[in-house]
Amino acid sequence: MEDGERETWTTDEFGPCHTGAVGVVLDDGTVPRPVYFDASSGGGGQAVSQWTVYDGRPRQGPRAAALRAVCSCGWNGPDQRLDWDEIGDQDLQTAGAAAADTCLRDWDQHTAEVERSAVPLSEAVTGLLAQLEVEVEKLAKSSPLAAIRAARRLEVLAAQTAYWPARDTRQDADLVQAAAALGLDEAGARAVLARLGRWSPYR
C-alpha cells in the first residue's frame, strides 16, 4: 500500500497486519503517488492517498481510472472501473461511492478468507468464546465494574494458558508457519508470541 493519509479498515483479530483501504489505479495501470497539500501557513504540508483526491482537477491528484481494495499484506482486489463520461463534473466522493463500497466488501471477503485459512478452532472453544462474549456484554449492562473484572479475569486466563504454547511454538515452528496459522504477518506473529510467551520481540 502506498503511503499517505486516508481512511483505512482493520479487524479486531488481525489488526494492522491486514489494514485495508480503497486504492487507486491510473489509466496506465500504475498506482499514483500520494498527493502533497501545502499547509496554508507555509509550515509543512500533508501527504494524502485518499481516493477522493484523484479526480484530475487542478491541485488534486491525477484522475483515477479505477478503484480497488488494497491490503497491507499485499493483496489487491479487482478493479472497479470509473466511467468519467458518466461522472462528468460530479464530485468524485459522490460519483465513486458505489465503487468504494464494493472495495470495502471485497476487503471483507479477503479478511474472511484469511480467517478461514488460519488454524481452526474446535466447535467447543468457538462456542465457549461466543458465550463468554454474550455473558460479559449482559454483565456490562447491569454492572459495568463486574464486566471489567470479568474481562480482567479473561486477560489473566489468556496469559496463563498461552504462556507454554507460545514458547513451544517458538521452539517447534518457524515464524512463517506461525504467521500463516494466526492469519498475521511475521512481525505481528512475532509480537503476539513474544507478548504471550513473555520474551522480548527484539531478540
Side-chain angles (χ1 to χ4, degrees):
M1 285 174 36
E2 65 272 21
D3 295 327
E5 293 192 18
R6 60 176 162 183
E7 178 186 6
T8 58
W9 319 304
T10 58
T11 69
D12 290 336
E13 181 174 1
F14 304 124
C17 295
H18 289 280
T19 301
V22 177
V24 171
V25 182
L26 302 180
D27 271 326
D28 62 2
T30 62
V31 175
R33 299 179 65 179
V35 179
Y36 188 81
F37 293 97
D38 289 325
S40 58
S41 62
Q46 183 180 29
V48 177
S49 296
Q50 179 69 9
W51 63 273
T52 53
V53 305
Y54 295 96
D55 60 7
R57 296 179 182 179
R59 295 188 294 277
Q60 296 280 92
R63 194 168 77 172
L67 306 179
R68 68 182 177 193
V70 296
C71 185
S72 59
C73 71
W75 171 89
N76 293 320
D79 288 357
Q80 309 299 324
R81 304 295 298 183
L82 298 173
D83 186 344
W84 283 97
D85 289 335
E86 182 178 331
I87 292 173
D89 293 331
Q90 293 182 74
D91 181 73
L92 181 56
Q93 183 166 359
T94 300
D101 287 344
T102 300
C103 292
L104 175 55
R105 290 194 293 272
D106 290 340
W107 180 80
D108 282 340
Q109 292 178 1
H110 163 63
T111 55
E113 290 169 4
V114 171
E115 185 174 1
R116 285 193 293 270
S117 69
V119 62
L121 300 178
S122 69
E123 289 186 10
V125 170
T126 301
L128 283 171
L129 290 173
Q131 184 179 353
L132 270 171
E133 182 178 4
V134 170
E135 293 302 323
V136 173
E137 286 178 350
K138 286 181 183 177
L139 197 57
K141 295 177 181 177
S142 61
S143 177
L145 285 174
I148 291 171
R149 186 181 180 202
R152 175 60 183 147
R153 291 287 296 273
L154 290 174
E155 287 180 337
V156 172
L157 179 63
Q160 291 173 341
T161 57
Y163 176 78
W164 286 112
R167 289 185 168 263
D168 290 344
T169 297
R170 186 188 192 191
Q171 179 177 342
D172 299 335
D174 63 37
L175 200 55
V176 174
Q177 293 174 320
L182 297 173
L184 306 174
D185 58 24
E186 291 183 33
R190 183 186 296 109
V192 167
L193 293 174
R195 176 170 55 82
L196 296 176
R198 300 173 211 166
W199 68 78
S200 170
Y202 303 107
R203 64 185 175 95

